[in-house]
Amino acid sequence: MLKEKNKKLQLVVFLGLILALGSLIFSGCVSTGQTKEGESSTLVTNSSDSQEEIKVLEGEILEGTMNTLRVKDSDNKEYSFLTEGLEIQTGQTGLKIGNPVEISYKGNLDPEAEAQEVEILSIEVSDLVDSNSADSQEETKVLEGEILEGTMNTLRVKDSDNKEYSFLTEGLEIQTDQTGLKIGNPVKISYKGNLDPEAEAQEVEILSIEVSDLVDSSRQKAENILAKMTLEEKVGQMFIGRSPQGSGLEEIKEYKLAGYILFSRDFENKSKDQVIAKNQAYQEAAQIPMFIGVDEEGGTVNRVSRNKNLRPQPFQSPQDLYKQGGFDLIRQDSKEKSDLLKSLGINLNFAPVADLSQDPKDFIYKRSFGQDHEQTAQYVKEVVTVMKDQGLASVLKHFPGYGNNLDTHGQVAYDKRPYENFEQADFIPFKAGIDAGANMVLVAHNVVEAMDQDNPASLSKNVHQILRQDLDFSGLIITDDLAMEGVKAFGDKGEIAVKAVLAGNDLLCSSDFQIQIPAVIEKVLSGDIDEDIIDQAVLRILEEKIDLGLIK
């Protein structure tokens, strides 16, 4: 009996041990398991059965597309995920490189795998926040500079340190003023990231691009001067007079002249010091610094270099220079000429001649380059560029192109060529000079019937509109001398000056300014000439004088 009781007790103990062991095993199955470094896990206890843990990867986006996502975690380990068909929660900037990302998943990550074989439960992407706030954010930076090149898709900018940066702007909204992406316009670019002047295109996040019109300081200065000028002073600024026989100083003070054009008599038998002193006296007599101009074309038209005290030999014609040394010699000659004139106090040369002529019988032939429109255009470009570099103002003449016309110094000349001739040939050298930065264009007295049958070009509104609009010239338009026979038939001295102003000339080249200035003033006072026409011309004149450094 005792033996049977002992057997039963042993069986109870054995069963208790088995139950206790089973409890320990079950407890181990539902406890929190170990995870890989950098991952967190969560126990799921929705049922009595064990469930696979949910893990979370936190990092930043290295690459994001419609189908894949590459992420870097805090230990710089990289993982690629296939995301096709998955819903991804994002902020405003979407799958932008660098944006923070949080991926909830089941399974184990493998940084060596091409794509992670895990069950993705959710992907949440947030915008990168500003480091200046409580959360870490990337700093917003601003680049201020000027436009070097602007197209629909790209923008090249130079900053204050002369460093250049190119940006891809396709699809971006750019705020601009009236002149748009004009070269030289100020630009402000707000962005996130780092600029690299060596990069072909900047890899930064562009937040905004604002382009403003260039505030022309010379225009502001000119407007300030204009606001203080009397009508007499303004009209006087529209006249370049032929220097009188005497001192010329009283005329400057009385008529407030824009400048003088000098002729051979002003240099004849004078020493260099005498010429300099005379020109300096002109400037000292003027309330507003003057244009001191001359016709020094080379060849048949030389005013300065005919005087051996100023140069051993007269300057050669463009044709002779080109035959001897091509455009290299043209450039050398232009530089020497500019240096000489500047040293004498002359700041304006009525050159180069942009007229086309290849026929030695033409009046203008010897003064022209003597080549076709393409070669002549290159000649004009070279001369204007050198003059501009040397700080000497240039004048393209004789618009719209002299052709085979008669000499308007002695008679009226009628040009019967069709308009297509000018478009296909004569305009081209003028356009080349304008694009190179010519300061002035001189308009001839030829009656160009294809443009205006009733008036010489110098008095024709239509010719001036063609120059402004079709050739896009914004500089100073000046007449040929209004004392020439080619224009005298179209009115008396006063009438001609008034017509020249109404046609659109800024400057009137006049041997009769003592008569013509009062005539223009009278027509302004009577209302026949709107004073705004005078103001706009004088603004351009003042701006040119400022840009040349005459007005400080």
Side-chain angles (χ1 to χ4, degrees):
M1 224 27 211
L2 182 60
K3 287 182 179 180
E4 288 180 3
K5 288 181 178 180
N6 287 337
K7 286 181 180 179
K8 290 179 179 180
L9 179 61
Q10 289 174 357
L11 180 60
V12 170
V13 171
F14 177 72
L15 290 173
L17 289 173
I18 290 174
L19 289 172
L21 180 60
S23 177
L24 288 172
I25 292 171
F26 179 77
S27 176
C29 289
V30 297
S31 63
T32 301
Q34 293 182 335
T35 64
K36 291 187 178 182
E37 185 180 353
E39 301 171 359
S40 62
S41 64
T42 304
L43 177 63
V44 181
T45 58
N46 292 333
S47 69
S48 59
D49 298 330
S50 67
Q51 292 187 350
E52 189 173 7
E53 64 191 77
I54 297 175
K55 304 171 186 176
V56 177
L57 170 66
E58 295 182 352
E60 65 178 80
I61 293 177
L62 295 178
E63 182 182 1
T65 69
M66 295 291 292
N67 300 324
T68 61
L69 189 66
R70 191 158 59 91
V71 175
K72 179 176 69 175
D73 68 7
S74 58
D75 295 323
N76 289 321
K77 292 180 180 178
E78 298 182 12
Y79 303 94
S80 292
F81 297 88
L82 300 177
T83 58
E84 185 175 9
L86 296 179
E87 181 179 351
I88 301 176
Q89 298 181 31
T90 67
Q92 292 184 346
T93 58
L95 300 179
K96 183 177 181 292
I97 295 172
N99 274 357
V101 61
E102 184 177 295
I103 302 176
S104 298
Y105 66 95
K106 289 182 180 181
N108 295 315
L109 299 179
D110 179 5
E112 303 298 325
E114 289 187 5
Q116 301 302 311
E117 296 181 355
V118 295
E119 178 187 355
I120 298 175
L121 305 178
S122 67
I123 301 176
E124 297 180 15
V125 178
S126 55
D127 293 335
L128 192 64
V129 289
D130 193 346
S131 58
N132 293 327
S133 67
D135 297 325
S136 173
Q137 284 191 347
E138 189 174 4
E139 178 185 1
T140 298
K141 304 171 186 176
V142 176
L143 169 67
E144 294 187 2
E146 65 177 80
I147 292 177
L148 294 178
E149 181 182 1
T151 69
M152 295 291 291
N153 300 323
T154 61
L155 190 65
R156 190 158 60 91
V157 174
K158 179 175 70 174
D159 68 8
S160 57
D161 296 323
N162 289 321
K163 292 181 179 177
E164 298 183 12
Y165 303 93
S166 292
F167 298 86
L168 300 177
T169 58
E170 186 175 9
L172 295 178
E173 181 179 351
I174 302 177
Q175 299 180 31
T176 66
D177 285 341
Q178 292 183 349
T179 58
L181 300 179
K182 182 181 177 184
I183 294 172
N185 273 355
V187 60
K188 180 192 290 185
I189 301 176
S190 298
Y191 66 96
K192 289 182 178 181
N194 296 313
L195 298 179
D196 178 7
E198 303 298 324
E200 290 187 5
Q202 300 303 309
E203 295 182 356
V204 295
E205 178 190 356
I206 298 175
L207 305 178
S208 66
I209 301 177
E210 298 176 18
V211 179
S212 54
D213 290 341
L214 184 65
V215 179
D216 194 340
S217 59
S218 60
R219 169 53 68 116
Q220 290 180 330
K221 187 181 290 187
E223 288 175 346
N224 293 337
I225 296 171
L226 181 73
K228 300 174 184 178
M229 294 174 68
T230 65
L231 176 60
E232 290 74 17
E233 289 170 338
K234 289 189 285 189
V235 173
Q237 276 300 300
M238 294 184 67
F239 282 80
I240 289 186
R242 179 168 183 163
S243 58
Q245 290 276 12
S247 70
L249 302 181
E250 290 304 317
E251 287 84 352
I252 293 171
K253 295 174 183 178
E254 181 177 356
Y255 295 102
K256 324 297 183 188
L257 294 170
Y260 274 146
I261 179 169
L262 309 181
F263 288 83
S264 298
R265 72 184 186 199
D266 297 297
F267 302 97
E268 192 173 7
N269 299 323
K270 287 186 173 65
S271 68
K272 184 172 184 177
D273 289 342
Q274 287 176 314
V275 173
I276 293 171
K278 185 69 174 289
N279 289 337
Q280 185 60 40
Y282 289 154
Q283 296 290 17
E284 291 172 356
Q287 186 175 352
I288 295 175
M290 299 178 70
F291 291 123
I292 306 294
V294 71
D295 289 297
E296 193 72 12
E297 299 173 8
T300 60
V301 179
N302 283 313
R303 313 300 190 196
V304 176
S305 59
R306 289 171 61 179
N307 182 345
K308 292 186 177 181
N309 295 327
L310 304 177
R311 191 175 191 269
Q313 298 291 333
F315 286 106
Q316 296 185 69
S317 73
Q319 292 185 30
D320 290 340
L321 290 169
Y322 186 68
K323 290 175 183 176
Q324 295 172 33
F327 286 119
D328 285 341
L329 193 55
I330 293 287
R331 285 188 288 268
Q332 292 175 27
D333 176 81
S334 298
K335 184 178 185 307
E336 183 189 349
K337 192 179 296 179
S338 298
D339 290 342
L340 174 60
L341 298 184
K342 290 262 303 186
S343 73
L344 297 172
I346 296 168
N347 49 53
L348 172 65
N349 189 13
F350 284 75
V353 173
D355 300 297
L356 296 176
S357 176
Q358 294 179 275
D359 186 347
K361 296 179 183 178
D362 294 342
F363 158 71
I364 203 67
Y365 174 75
K366 291 182 179 179
R367 297 171 63 185
S368 75
F369 190 54
Q371 304 288 328
D372 63 19
H373 63 271
E374 291 183 354
Q375 287 291 90
T376 302
Q378 184 64 29
Y379 160 71
V380 170
K381 176 183 176 182
E382 297 288 353
V383 174
V384 169
T385 300
V386 172
M387 293 177 69
K388 190 175 184 68
D389 290 344
Q390 300 307 116
L392 185 70
S394 57
V395 181
L396 307 179
K397 58 186 186 184
H398 308 77
F399 189 79
Y402 218 96
N404 61 353
N405 285 266
L406 301 173
D407 181 5
T408 54
H409 287 84
Q411 57 201 311
V412 177
Y414 290 90
D415 191 329
K416 299 182 179 299
R417 291 177 294 164
Y419 190 74
E420 290 75 15
N421 282 34
F422 294 91
E423 288 184 308
Q424 297 169 10
D426 292 73
F427 285 168
I428 292 173
F430 286 96
K431 181 59 176 170
I434 290 169
D435 292 344
N439 307 82
M440 303 184 191
V441 173
L442 181 145
V443 184
H445 296 318
N446 303 328
V447 180
V448 185
E449 295 184 355
M451 302 179 199
D452 189 332
Q453 294 183 350
D454 301 320
N455 299 289
S458 56
L459 306 184
S460 169
K461 285 185 180 181
N462 192 44
V463 171
H464 288 72
Q465 287 174 352
I466 290 169
L467 179 54
R468 289 288 189 210
Q469 297 172 10
D470 296 356
L471 275 73
D472 197 26
F473 181 60
S474 59
L476 299 181
I477 302 178
I478 182 171
T479 69
D480 212 341
D481 193 336
L482 294 178
M484 292 165 60
E485 294 297 327
V487 74
K488 280 184 177 181
F490 296 88
D492 62 31
K493 294 178 180 180
E495 285 179 301
I496 291 170
V498 170
K499 288 182 177 180
V501 171
L502 291 173
N505 292 285
D506 300 304
L507 285 165
L508 282 62
C509 189
S510 172
S511 298
D512 300 309
F513 60 84
Q514 298 93 333
I515 297 171
Q516 292 173 330
I517 289 176
V520 172
I521 292 173
E522 180 183 344
K523 292 299 182 180
V524 176
L525 292 174
S526 68
D528 293 318
I529 297 178
D530 190 332
E531 191 168 351
D532 185 62
I533 294 174
I534 305 295
D535 288 348
Q536 293 305 313
V538 175
L539 274 176
R540 284 189 285 267
I541 292 164
L542 294 174
E543 281 186 88
E544 190 61 60
K545 289 186 174 184
I546 292 166
D547 291 341
L548 278 173
L550 303 182
I551 298 176
K552 304 299 182 183

